[in-house]
Amino acid sequence: MRKPIVGGNWKMNRGTPEECKDMLMNFVPLIKNLLNVDVVIAPPFTGLISAYEIIKGTNVKLGAQNMYYEENGAFTGEISPKFLKSIGVEYVILGHSERRNIFNESDVLVNKKLKKALLVGLKPIVCIGEHLEEREAGRTKDIIKFQINESFKDLNKDQMIQTVIAYEPIWAIGTGKTATPEQAEEIHMFIRGLISQRYDQETADSVRIQYGGSVKPNNAEILFSKENIDGGLVGGASLQAESLAEIVLAADKSFQ
Ligand code: PEP
């Protein structure tokens, strides 16, 4: 059995210390007794320290939205994974489609970041997913296979198991269009099959695969009820304490 994981990706939205504190002071009490789900909040870098003050010692863990693959050096504007660890960050989102599409991050770069995150002991959440035109052209599985091969290159079994995969069809992110539970389940099953081919069934059964793309309180339960969907990565609906708490509750229920 895989424990579901729900991540709140605040993108470049709630980012001041006050905004983070306000949201989390409301959110933490709403979900504090839930033990069947891992919960991660990923504010912008400017909110990490104040967020940690509120969630330290609770069941909510801190995530960053990005990192660089070097620890120190002349990399103006980048963030070292060691710096993130030093302020309580436990998880890091890598290869989000906004990083891939707006900032031209390639699978090669995502792979370097992923290997570094694992090396320093950050838990990676790696996003993959297809564009609408790719889905309409019947190429979804080819795209996913390519991303799995390239972004997850050279990982050993243990590293693969420590990595959370977020399947996020790009056409469903921030658009209000959710993949149907059946569409999402089909791709999650496909991903698990790829992992089983590369490693073995035990590894495939251990890797957590989140769904992301317009997850809301009204669709979370049905999505998370699918056998291969292990929680969600949530953008818009993670900005409000109540809606994120409802989604976390749905994930918690799915594990009972
Ligand atoms: C995301 O940012 O990863 C995401 C899935 O956003 P939204 O829930 O707003 O579609």
Side-chain angles (χ1 to χ4, degrees):
M1 281 291 268
R2 296 173 299 269
K3 192 177 184 185
I5 172 166
V6 172
N9 173 15
W10 290 359
K11 312 193 184 194
M12 205 172 74
N13 292 309
R14 281 178 182 276
T16 67
E18 293 70 28
E19 284 170 334
C20 293
K21 279 189 183 166
D22 286 352
M23 191 287 187
L24 291 169
M25 272 162 34
N26 288 323
F27 174 65
V28 170
L30 297 177
I31 55 115
K32 71 170 195 280
N33 295 321
L34 304 183
L35 299 172
N36 300 312
V37 54
D38 287 335
V39 185
V40 182
I41 292 292
F45 294 128
T46 45
L48 289 169
I49 291 175
S50 57
Y52 191 59
E53 280 170 28
I54 309 295
I55 63 178
K56 194 174 175 181
T58 74
N59 55 342
V60 181
K61 304 300 173 203
L62 193 59
Q65 298 176 19
N66 187 23
M67 55 162 255
Y68 196 51
Y69 63 80
E70 296 285 356
E71 289 175 26
N72 295 97
F75 303 106
T76 303
E78 290 296 331
I79 291 283
S80 159
K82 283 262 165 105
F83 300 167
L84 294 174
K85 273 205 86 176
S86 76
I87 57 167
V89 171
E90 221 174 285
Y91 288 82
V92 61
I93 300 171
L94 298 174
H96 190 279
S97 63
E98 286 149 19
R99 300 249 24 117
R100 292 176 185 264
N101 296 324
I102 303 172
F103 303 102
N104 293 320
E105 287 200 8
S106 63
D107 286 296
V108 172
L109 181 61
V110 173
N111 182 247
K112 284 185 178 172
K113 292 183 177 192
L114 170 57
K115 288 191 279 196
K116 188 59 166 195
L118 289 162
L119 203 69
V120 304
L122 285 171
K123 298 172 186 154
I125 298 174
V126 181
C127 306
I128 55 174
E130 80 288 359
H131 288 274
L132 184 60
E133 313 80 71
E134 293 164 339
R135 174 163 282 266
E136 285 175 349
R139 295 180 53 224
T140 300
K141 289 184 179 170
D142 293 340
I143 300 296
I144 296 298
K145 189 172 179 182
F146 183 84
Q147 290 175 330
I148 291 278
N149 285 343
E150 300 304 313
S151 287
F152 298 82
K153 209 177 199 145
D154 301 328
L155 261 52
N156 65 32
K157 256 163 71 158
D158 282 351
Q159 291 174 318
M160 189 68 239
I161 290 169
Q162 286 166 46
T163 302
V164 176
I165 300 175
Y167 168 58
E168 301 208 303
I170 295 162
W171 49 271
I173 298 179
T175 58
K177 278 190 207 166
T178 321
T180 64
E182 292 71 29
Q183 283 173 322
E185 172 67 6
E186 183 191 0
I187 301 304
H188 282 233
M189 217 159 79
F190 177 68
I191 294 169
R192 222 175 279 293
L194 293 173
I195 298 169
S196 153
Q197 276 167 29
R198 195 200 289 182
Y199 301 93
D200 50 41
Q201 195 56 45
E202 194 193 348
T203 308
D205 287 341
S206 305
V207 173
R208 294 186 291 181
I209 310 174
Q210 298 177 301
Y211 168 78
S214 301
V215 175
K216 308 281 177 214
N218 65 5
N219 59 27
E221 194 169 331
I222 175 97
L223 283 161
F224 302 163
S225 70
K226 291 290 175 191
E227 194 181 328
N228 289 288
I229 301 183
D230 309 311
L233 186 58
V234 187
S238 73
L239 293 169
Q240 305 302 329
E242 294 73 18
S243 57
L244 184 58
E246 281 183 53
I247 293 169
V248 170
L249 192 65
D252 182 81
K253 268 200 206 158
S254 74
F255 194 54
Q256 286 168 20

